[in-house]
Amino acid sequence: MVIIVISTIVTCITTLSMSAMSTNGEMKGGGLYYMISRSLGPEFGGAIGIVFSFANSGMAALNIVGFSESLLSLLKSEGLQIIDGGKNDNRIISVIALLLLQSIIVIGMEWEAKAQVGLLVILLVAMTDFVVGAIMGPQNIEAKAKGWEGLSTKVFVENLTPGYKFSEGMDQDFFTIFSVFFPSVAGIQAGASISGDLKDPAMAIPTGTLLAIFITSGSYALFALLAGAGELREASGNVTEYESGTFTNCSGRNCPWGLYNDYQVMQLMSAFGPIIYAGCFAATLSSALSCLVSGPKTFEALCKDEVYPYLTRFGIGYGKAEDPYWSYGLGFIIALIFILIADLNAIAVLISCMFMAAYALLNYCTFHASLVKPIGWRPTFKYYNTWVSLAGAIFCIIVMFLMSWICALVALFCVFICYSIVVYRKPDLNWGTSTQAQTYQDALTALQRLAVQNEHVKNYRPQILCLSGFPSSRPALIDLAYLITKKNSLLICGNIQEDRVRSRVRKVVVQNGYDWLHVRKVKAFYVMVDGCKFDEGCQALIQSAGIGKLAPNILLLGYKTNWEVCEREEVKEYFNCLHQALDNYLAIVILRTKDPLDCSYILGGLEENICTSPRDIPNFPKGSSSDGFENILEVEPTDPEVSSARHSNPEEIIVTATKKGNKIVFGGKGSVTKENHEDVHGVYRGPDGSEKPRDIVLSPFQTKKETGVIDVWWLYDDGGLTLLLPYIIQTRKNWSQCRLRVFVLGNKKTEIEMEHRGMASLLSKFRIDYSDLTVIPDIRRKAEESTMSLFETLIKDFRGDPDKCDDPETMITDSELMCLKEKTNRHLRIRELLLENSRKSNLIAMTLPIPRKGQVSTPLYMAWLEILTRDMPPFLLIRGNQTSVLTFYS
């Protein structure tokens, strides 16, 4: 009775959870798989779908083996056998029964339903026969000698306490008996497994399943009480011994009758024995038939979702009823393998553990959804409880290990393997799961907690706002930013569009930006502002990007290489961006490389293809109307770039537009064939599908440096950012073999040695590992004529009288040059020192001169930056916001 009560508790709690899940929206085919996958995601859903389908096939085999054992018992009573009367006969009968049942299912579900009704009638007659026989009592002395005493309080009391003995080759205990019994109540998912065939699953599943539990549990309890009140535990079956009163003395011998030894005790107690056999046949065959349907149906739903590779064939339905014949075939093979084992007890424990694992996860789904309480969680079934569902999940896991810790580990290992495969594949499935809601809630809670925490220098993180435009336009800039922020901090890629962009197009541009970042494996956010000038857009991003403490503290932008020839208004806007960053207490990082950062002139921009009417998009489906597609745009990755020449199975993605059903899809994946696989990594496709050279794809910050040098020119105290960022870059895998050299300016020629020791001590306290430290003593020496001549060439077109110019801020006056003569010479001397010391370095990081408002004009400042960075290796100009980012203390 305790076993029946525990089993009923487990199934009742699980059914309440299942009822809540099944009434939270429209229920489609797939049963437990559908519920779990739509709640916890494809990872857990796929794992349980595989295990549950396997367990159902095993359960079918278990019931068929039970049927065979009952039939063999009947044949033995008549002295009949096929081969040996044992396992081989069991196998033959089970295989024949499996073939017959599978044939009924293949013919059609309506035949399966008719067979179930017929079997139910037989089962009800058999149950009635047993109850009537138990009330009637024994009809002859032979029955009494076999232990059938009739309903008696004395017998009931004797059988009330537990009693376990050695049987089936092992010492039996509570949990071995429980593991054999539990599969008989594990069919609660049968209705859910055929949810796709039900007219109203939300109503039918809770009502039908709960009613089935109460009827079956009540029947099991009644039969156990009747058997325990009327049948002795052991009896010899000898009439003479019965008359002498020694028929229950089984010490030293094996008594074939009684509750311990006679598995057909119900037949002995019934009014008409053969009907009990028919009832056993009906019960086992009915359960087997149900499992042979529910397992493949679950597997079909899983394969239709393409959760696992190479299994889509098993999700194909045939005929009007969409019967999954491939899944039926696989379930048949699995059941056949279990049948050939022909050992009911060996099968039962593993199957029970698999069902327990599925039920535990189903209970957890309900607990998780009701705990997180996403707005979409509105089940119409109200008779569930968050903590009862959690208790049910924990209880299922505990019982698993108590039944058999080995089988429990095997079941959980199978779940883990299936889960890991889905996690590794990352299928593109979005079902609005409760785990997504949990992610949002956790992020929101963490942000709110972070907002009230005081900042500390030890927890400083470089959070970057990268003015990249569309990400594929400046891959080197994004690679540098991610090199700094990877696994450390925040990266936001900003795109500023001067023209107004419609909301529909904005969604496509932003989604394509995220897809490009995903393909390149860059973890970043992408934002876009439009309808404003460059400096206005920059100000908008600086002031609005991020939230709370999770906001940028560094502005990263590329160097404006065309400042000499572009519209002067553009140079002013660029210069204003630097001022806005400093005014908002953001640090500044400017990157210059030998090749232009902006690749859009080579690749073409995505915006060029979609910022007009959809009709102008390459390969836009003819005859398609753009009306009605405002909120159903679907975007596939565009502008992918190969991150490594060793990448396997690459895909080239071409920006096109196609139509899928009622959706317009931008982008499309073209598989790599044998013909184009050769040197595929050296090819990049632009939005028009044309091939582009590889050097666009691989920026200087992606390639691995076997040896190299990073030079840090720490000219001014900016809080330590000029030193910190190169150090972070050096810690990355591709740059870990590079040496870090530090250059600082000396104040007095006579104290160079002292300054060297002081700076070395400072770097040691900062725990910065460097290879060389150089103090520059003669920074104020006059620059050479060639350097001065180059500078004069740079500013020649910007010299003049500001009063005669429409935009005085873009002119360099003689008075300005005179006032800033010393600073100009300083920058010219630094260029000479750079050429002398760092021309062959892999990366140079230098403190950025401050663009002081009202003191230096735009062209003069840009000339300073040009003289410092022209014809140099990749160059970083860094200026901190005077906030300390390095500390001595632990």
Side-chain angles (χ1 to χ4, degrees), residues 19 22-23 27 198-209 380-381:
S19 299
S22 63
T23 58
M27 181 77 178
L198 299 176
K199 290 183 179 179
D200 185 6
M203 181 67 183
I205 291 174
T207 305
T209 307
T380 57
F381 184 85

Short mmCIF file of all heavy atoms in Angstrom, two decimals, residues 19 22-23 27 198-209 380-381:
data_model
loop_
_atom_site.label_atom_id
_atom_site.label_comp_id
_atom_site.label_asym_id
_atom_site.label_seq_id
_atom_site.Cartn_x
_atom_site.Cartn_y
_atom_site.Cartn_z
N SER A 19 -0.83 19.51 -16.08
CA SER A 19 -2.09 20.18 -16.38
C SER A 19 -1.89 21.69 -16.49
O SER A 19 -2.46 22.35 -17.36
CB SER A 19 -3.12 19.86 -15.30
OG SER A 19 -3.39 18.47 -15.24
N SER A 22 -0.08 22.29 -19.82
CA SER A 22 -0.90 22.03 -21.00
C SER A 22 -2.00 23.05 -21.19
O SER A 22 -2.54 23.18 -22.30
CB SER A 22 -1.50 20.62 -20.92
OG SER A 22 -2.38 20.51 -19.82
N THR A 23 -2.37 23.78 -20.14
CA THR A 23 -3.43 24.78 -20.26
C THR A 23 -2.89 26.19 -20.41
O THR A 23 -3.65 27.15 -20.40
CB THR A 23 -4.37 24.73 -19.04
OG1 THR A 23 -3.61 24.94 -17.84
CG2 THR A 23 -5.08 23.38 -18.96
N MET A 27 -1.88 23.70 -27.20
CA MET A 27 -1.01 22.54 -27.04
C MET A 27 -0.94 21.79 -28.37
O MET A 27 -1.96 21.39 -28.92
CB MET A 27 -1.59 21.63 -25.95
CG MET A 27 -0.76 20.40 -25.68
SD MET A 27 0.68 20.77 -24.69
CE MET A 27 1.37 19.13 -24.54
N LEU A 198 -5.81 15.43 -30.18
CA LEU A 198 -6.96 15.73 -29.33
C LEU A 198 -7.64 17.01 -29.81
O LEU A 198 -6.99 17.96 -30.25
CB LEU A 198 -6.50 15.91 -27.88
CG LEU A 198 -5.83 14.69 -27.22
CD1 LEU A 198 -5.34 15.05 -25.83
CD2 LEU A 198 -6.79 13.50 -27.16
N LYS A 199 -8.96 17.05 -29.71
CA LYS A 199 -9.73 18.23 -30.12
C LYS A 199 -9.46 19.40 -29.19
O LYS A 199 -9.28 20.54 -29.62
CB LYS A 199 -11.22 17.90 -30.14
CG LYS A 199 -11.63 16.95 -31.26
CD LYS A 199 -13.14 16.74 -31.27
CE LYS A 199 -13.56 15.81 -32.41
NZ LYS A 199 -15.02 15.58 -32.41
N ASP A 200 -9.45 19.13 -27.89
CA ASP A 200 -9.23 20.20 -26.91
C ASP A 200 -8.23 19.70 -25.86
O ASP A 200 -8.62 19.26 -24.77
CB ASP A 200 -10.56 20.59 -26.24
CG ASP A 200 -10.39 21.79 -25.30
OD1 ASP A 200 -9.29 22.37 -25.27
OD2 ASP A 200 -11.37 22.12 -24.61
N PRO A 201 -6.92 19.73 -26.16
CA PRO A 201 -5.91 19.21 -25.23
C PRO A 201 -5.96 19.87 -23.87
O PRO A 201 -5.76 19.21 -22.84
CB PRO A 201 -4.58 19.49 -25.94
CG PRO A 201 -4.93 19.66 -27.37
CD PRO A 201 -6.31 20.25 -27.40
N ALA A 202 -6.23 21.18 -23.82
CA ALA A 202 -6.23 21.90 -22.54
C ALA A 202 -7.29 21.36 -21.60
O ALA A 202 -7.13 21.42 -20.38
CB ALA A 202 -6.43 23.39 -22.79
N MET A 203 -8.38 20.85 -22.15
CA MET A 203 -9.44 20.29 -21.32
C MET A 203 -9.26 18.79 -21.12
O MET A 203 -9.44 18.27 -20.02
CB MET A 203 -10.80 20.57 -21.98
CG MET A 203 -11.99 20.04 -21.19
SD MET A 203 -12.16 20.94 -19.63
CE MET A 203 -13.55 20.04 -18.91
N ALA A 204 -8.88 18.11 -22.20
CA ALA A 204 -8.82 16.65 -22.15
C ALA A 204 -7.67 16.12 -21.30
O ALA A 204 -7.83 15.15 -20.57
CB ALA A 204 -8.71 16.10 -23.57
N ILE A 205 -6.51 16.76 -21.37
CA ILE A 205 -5.33 16.24 -20.66
C ILE A 205 -5.51 16.30 -19.14
O ILE A 205 -5.33 15.28 -18.46
CB ILE A 205 -4.06 16.98 -21.12
CG1 ILE A 205 -3.74 16.61 -22.56
CG2 ILE A 205 -2.88 16.65 -20.21
CD1 ILE A 205 -2.59 17.39 -23.16
N PRO A 206 -5.84 17.45 -18.55
CA PRO A 206 -6.01 17.45 -17.08
C PRO A 206 -7.15 16.54 -16.62
O PRO A 206 -6.97 15.75 -15.69
CB PRO A 206 -6.33 18.92 -16.76
CG PRO A 206 -5.86 19.70 -17.94
CD PRO A 206 -6.02 18.80 -19.12
N THR A 207 -8.31 16.64 -17.28
CA THR A 207 -9.47 15.85 -16.84
C THR A 207 -9.22 14.37 -17.01
O THR A 207 -9.42 13.57 -16.08
CB THR A 207 -10.72 16.26 -17.65
OG1 THR A 207 -10.91 17.67 -17.52
CG2 THR A 207 -11.94 15.53 -17.15
N GLY A 208 -8.78 13.97 -18.19
CA GLY A 208 -8.57 12.55 -18.45
C GLY A 208 -7.47 11.95 -17.61
O GLY A 208 -7.61 10.83 -17.09
N THR A 209 -6.37 12.67 -17.44
CA THR A 209 -5.24 12.11 -16.70
C THR A 209 -5.56 11.99 -15.21
O THR A 209 -5.26 10.95 -14.59
CB THR A 209 -3.99 13.00 -16.89
OG1 THR A 209 -3.75 13.19 -18.29
CG2 THR A 209 -2.78 12.34 -16.27
N THR A 380 -4.88 28.09 -17.37
CA THR A 380 -6.28 28.09 -16.92
C THR A 380 -6.50 27.07 -15.81
O THR A 380 -7.46 27.18 -15.06
CB THR A 380 -7.21 27.79 -18.09
OG1 THR A 380 -6.83 26.53 -18.70
CG2 THR A 380 -7.11 28.88 -19.16
N PHE A 381 -5.61 26.09 -15.71
CA PHE A 381 -5.68 25.12 -14.62
C PHE A 381 -5.02 25.73 -13.38
O PHE A 381 -3.83 26.05 -13.40
CB PHE A 381 -4.98 23.82 -15.01
CG PHE A 381 -5.08 22.72 -13.98
CD1 PHE A 381 -6.17 21.88 -13.95
CD2 PHE A 381 -4.08 22.53 -13.05
CE1 PHE A 381 -6.27 20.86 -13.02
CE2 PHE A 381 -4.17 21.54 -12.10
CZ PHE A 381 -5.27 20.70 -12.09
#
